[in-house]
Amino acid sequence: MDEWMNYEQFDRQTWHAFFPADTVRLNQENLDDIKSLNDRISIEDVKDVYLPLIKLLQLHYQNFLEWQMQKANFLRQPVRRVPYIIGIAGSVAVGKSTIARLLSILLNKLLPDKRVELMTTDGFLYPNAELKRRGIMDRKGFPESYDMEKLLKFLNDVKAGEPVVKAPTYSHQVYDVQPDKPLVIDRPDILIVEGINTLQLPTNQRLYVSDYFDWSIYVDADPDLIECWYLQRFGLLLKTAFTDPSNYYYPYSKGSRDDAFKMAKDVWKSVDLPNLKDFILPTKTRANLILHKTHGHVVDRLYLRRD
């Protein structure tokens, strides 16, 4: 069966025509502040791709609020504040974090009376010490390296409207979870959840992360391109690590650059690429929207689920 049967495909020009707004309350400096290391995003990207997407999300959110009210009236219950949760999935180095931050900023501008918060699932990786204890340090990023019970409980508490829910955070500089620096989520109206595992279906779970999502996005690109972006990001990480001995990449920044890049290529081929092909890419068609990127992180096609 054709995997695209359930999607409508749009090129960038057609997508922009659905909401041809020219006013963007951002400038290139704002965008440079939010983009990840080697990512790329421009004002034209915002106009052509992300403003129409934000308008579509606004329509979905309005329908969501109306449904919550109708359901409460039908059940003769008070209307309660239920967070609208957006999931963003895709490979490492594909630009998920930049898109998540941009959507957060645009939603805050569009809906100034709503609390919009953002978190990443990286913090729910098991700490490096636990990964080593389990003998799966070389499987970091694979489904078994995440504390899924903890992540599911977090999402359940957020969806239930718990007043303060804490999420562990992750540092790419030290390459480990930071349990002493939790992210506090306080009853958001909209929560954006970004991570490689947000659409995965672990076989040993009765609930899935995506069960808590009201809408989802998959960021797609050719694996060869993603590898280039991964290696570019690695090079930039080396440049920022050489002055900080606590940085995970510090030893690589001090040694042979060729050896460092050989190590990075080996990690991509033995860890990240198999994880992408076996566990991340198969989740693509579970998303409501697929953003396809080409060279330079440019979104050239969008696929919108029909149902």
Side-chain angles (χ1 to χ4, degrees):
M1 181 182 295
D2 185 354
E3 64 177 349
W4 301 114
M5 283 182 61
N6 204 28
Y7 286 86
E8 294 187 68
Q9 178 179 339
F10 305 100
D11 60 29
R12 185 177 173 120
Q13 184 177 4
T14 304
W15 182 258
H16 171 61
F18 296 141
F19 189 65
D22 290 323
T23 303
V24 180
R25 287 176 289 177
L26 293 170
N27 56 43
Q28 190 60 49
E29 186 176 349
N30 298 144
L31 298 180
D32 291 341
D33 286 342
I34 66 171
K35 73 181 181 68
S36 297
L37 286 172
N38 64 313
D39 206 349
R40 171 206 170 276
I41 194 162
S42 69
I43 294 296
E44 289 304 313
D45 295 327
V46 176
K47 290 180 181 178
D48 292 351
V49 178
Y50 297 103
L51 286 183
L53 172 53
I54 286 294
K55 186 61 179 178
L56 182 61
L57 282 170
Q58 182 189 26
L59 294 173
H60 274 275
Y61 182 55
Q62 289 171 342
N63 288 337
F64 169 82
L65 293 178
E66 184 176 341
W67 164 241
Q68 295 302 322
M69 184 178 297
Q70 289 178 349
K71 182 173 69 172
N73 290 339
F74 177 78
L75 298 174
R76 299 177 183 177
Q77 296 175 345
V79 179
R80 67 184 185 92
R81 186 177 177 181
V82 179
Y84 184 82
I85 302 183
I86 301 168
I88 301 180
S91 171
V92 299
V94 80
K96 301 182 303 300
S97 298
T98 297
I99 291 172
R101 287 192 289 269
L102 177 60
L103 293 184
S104 175
I105 288 172
L106 292 175
L107 284 168
N108 268 307
K109 289 183 177 294
L110 181 68
L111 305 168
D113 60 327
K114 302 297 182 183
R115 181 195 292 268
V116 181
E117 298 196 19
L118 167 66
M119 56 84 62
T120 174
T121 62
D122 290 351
F124 291 91
L125 283 161
Y126 287 114
N128 288 348
E130 178 63 16
L131 293 174
K132 290 174 182 175
R133 189 188 71 79
R134 296 182 179 217
I136 55 171
M137 188 64 185
D138 60 343
R139 300 276 293 177
K140 190 172 185 177
F142 282 75
E144 64 267 31
S145 66
Y146 285 88
D147 189 339
M148 293 303 295
E149 290 290 342
K150 190 174 183 178
L151 175 56
L152 289 169
K153 183 180 185 309
F154 165 83
L155 290 170
N156 188 71
D157 289 346
V158 170
K159 204 68 170 172
E162 291 291 329
V164 174
V165 185
K166 294 183 179 181
T169 57
Y170 184 86
S171 168
H172 288 278
Q173 281 68 45
V174 300
Y175 199 61
D176 204 353
V177 177
Q178 302 180 106
D180 57 334
K181 297 180 180 179
L183 173 67
V184 177
I185 303 295
D186 185 5
R187 288 167 292 191
D189 295 290
I190 299 174
L191 175 65
I192 300 172
V193 179
E194 173 259 312
I196 64 173
N197 63 332
T198 53
L199 295 176
Q200 288 175 5
L201 299 175
T203 55
N204 61 339
Q205 298 288 345
R206 290 170 296 173
L207 284 174
Y208 307 131
V209 172
S210 57
D211 288 340
Y212 293 95
F213 294 162
D214 299 290
W215 221 70
S216 57
I217 299 168
Y218 184 94
V219 187
D220 191 29
D222 183 278
D224 289 338
L225 264 183
I226 301 175
E227 179 183 7
C228 290
W229 298 337
Y230 173 85
L231 294 174
Q232 287 170 4
R233 185 178 73 173
F234 177 76
L236 291 171
L237 286 168
L238 290 185
K239 288 183 179 179
T240 60
F242 74 96
T243 60
D244 181 9
S246 67
N247 191 301
Y248 173 79
Y249 297 94
Y250 178 79
Y252 301 108
S253 71
K254 291 296 185 181
S256 163
R257 195 167 179 82
D258 288 341
D259 289 346
F261 272 92
K262 181 181 182 303
M263 181 278 298
K265 289 176 183 177
D266 288 344
V267 170
W268 170 260
K269 289 178 181 177
S270 64
V271 179
D272 293 302
L273 183 58
N275 193 20
L276 171 60
K277 289 183 174 180
D278 294 342
F279 298 104
I280 302 172
L281 198 56
T283 71
K284 178 169 66 176
T285 53
R286 304 193 72 240
N288 297 103
L289 179 73
I290 299 169
L291 296 176
H292 182 272
K293 285 185 170 187
T294 184
H295 296 275
H297 283 275
V298 174
V299 175
D300 62 342
R301 298 193 305 278
L302 301 96
Y303 300 85
L304 181 64
R305 183 177 283 279
R306 297 178 191 275
D307 51 12

